[in-house]
Amino acid sequence: ELEYLDETARIASENGVSFAYISTAEEIARYEPNVCGIAALYFPDSGIIDSTSLVKRLGDLAEKNGVYIL
């Protein structure tokens, strides 16, 4: 799985995504004490969103600015 982690880091870097490559179990524990591993990627700008609510909100904002959604 380390090869997959390296490939993900390469793709993130090519796309300008900021991340930290974490290379020790101790460092992982500093970021998240409930996770065990030997290496990890940390994406500080990532998060989980409710995509349905996001699209609805964007639609509402667009309509308020004169856009017709059909």
Side-chain angles (χ1 to χ4, degrees), residues 31-53:
Y31 282 91
E32 176 50 69
N34 296 312
V35 173
C36 297
I38 60 171
L41 293 176
Y42 172 67
F43 296 91
D45 298 327
S46 69
I48 299 171
I49 64 165
D50 176 356
S51 57
T52 302
S53 295

Side-chain angles (χ1 to χ4, degrees), residues 7-50:
E7 179 68 6
T8 302
R10 182 188 66 75
I11 293 168
S13 182
E14 287 177 0
N15 287 309
V17 176
S18 61
F19 67 93
Y21 195 101
I22 305 169
S23 59
T24 67
E26 293 79 18
E27 195 175 2
I28 292 170
R30 282 197 303 268
Y31 282 91
E32 176 50 69
N34 296 312
V35 173
C36 297
I38 60 171
L41 293 176
Y42 172 67
F43 296 91
D45 298 327
S46 69
I48 299 171
I49 64 165
D50 176 356

Side-chain angles (χ1 to χ4, degrees), residues 57 59-67:
R57 179 68 176 142
D60 291 345
L61 291 171
E63 287 176 346
K64 285 181 182 177
N65 286 290
V67 174

